Amino acid sequence: MKRSWIISLLATLLILGGGIAGVFYVMDTVQKDVTVSAVLNEPPAEDDEEGEVPKETQEIIFESQKLVVQLELEDGSVGSGFLYNDQGDIITNAHVVANTEKVNIITSDGKKMPGDVIGVSRDIDVAVVRVPGLKGKDPLPIREENTAELLDEVLALGSPLGLQNTVTRGEISGLERTLDIEPFHYKNLYQISAPISPGNSGGPLLDRETGEVIGINTAKMNDETIGFSIPVADVLPMVKRWSESPMRSLPEFPELTGEVYSPVTGTDAEQASYMVQYFYDSINQGDFVTAYSLLSASWQEDISFEDFRSGYNNTLSVKVDNLVVDPKGDHMEVTAFLTAEETVDGEVQMKKYKVVYPVKKENQSVKIWSGSGEELSAEQKEAS
């Protein structure tokens, strides 16, 4: 009896010891598993190398247009430029400001300011204009490294055909292109599908995702759909040097003397028709800053931007059904037949309008001088 009791006691102790050891083992193992699980459930650490979050295209256009200007020379030629530092310095093309020391610049909201050419290259088609009236303004973001790749989507901003605040979209269709257009030698150019026209020269080429300036729009082939842009990173050292120490004397370009490029091409009727269509394209995109800038100075004096903008609060979209252009002395009269989608007392309604716009030049740019309109009756709708 006693022996069997001792054996039973020893067996019980062995079982208890194994159980206790098992408990400690399980506790240790589970604790490690719980710790690993907790780490996995923690929010991921921020990746310092993650690129900038792409912006909306409309936001990029809206913010960038405020810092793109139109340059006007005494001979009537125009070009484009953009603010690149807080000293009021504008980057543009050398051929835009060749053989002149002073230019006028017009901002996106129609303000005219004087500018002084502080740097021009005889070899690279780049120049810098200092505009005291823009000192202290935040410039466009500049990409200081040449990292653009084929098929990157881009935006070309400027004043093609003298039409300020124009944006064309495209992509980089070629890299490291070389051109010789006297007196300049162009190398390492971006070839772009965004159309470039007279007046675009000197405007910025933007990365469509980040809004950074990656190039300076410069030249085009005979085909309107092929343009070329100078990588801004290639010329930044020279541009910064001019800003820090302006040139005491500017180089001359005798080969460009007498070459005056018309700021607006096409017939007067085509220009007027394009202007009104562009006005409504801007309205439909919600770009009221651009639409307002197309109005003449006298019309802007009669209506503030806030009142102009509020006039479209109930407008969802506007479709231009037809445009009729008639010469009227010193201007073109554009009659637009429109279909507007509007909200009325909380309901969406389709309405037809007839609007008449006199269109003519103001400071070498085509502007909409005023407007008058009426809602069409059922009979008039059928007639139109």
Side-chain angles (χ1 to χ4, degrees), residues 43 49 172 217 238 275 304 339 342:
E49 297 181 358
I172 294 179
N217 301 323
M238 178 173 60
M275 178 62 63
S304 67
T339 299
E342 303 175 349

Side-chain angles (χ1 to χ4, degrees), residues 256-272:
L256 298 182
T257 301
E259 293 189 13
V260 178
Y261 297 94
S262 173
V264 181
T265 61
T267 66
D268 290 344
E270 290 171 339
Q271 296 166 23

Side-chain angles (χ1 to χ4, degrees), residues 4 31 61 153 157 168 236 271 364 367 379:
S4 61
Q31 185 177 14
I61 293 172
E153 294 184 328
L157 278 66
T168 55
L236 269 183
Q271 296 166 23
Q364 301 298 322
K367 295 288 185 178
E379 294 78 10

Side-chain angles (χ1 to χ4, degrees), residues 268-277 280 320 322-328 331-338 354-360 366-368 370-372:
D268 290 344
E270 290 171 339
Q271 296 166 23
S273 178
Y274 179 89
M275 178 62 63
V276 174
Q277 182 66 61
Y280 281 109
V320 178
N322 193 19
L323 290 176
V324 179
V325 184
D326 295 312
K328 297 287 183 180
H331 68 275
M332 290 287 151
E333 184 178 272
V334 180
T335 302
F337 294 92
L338 312 170
K354 174 185 175 183
V355 187
V356 178
Y357 297 106
V359 178
K360 64 179 180 179
V366 178
K367 295 288 185 178
I368 302 173
S370 62
S372 59

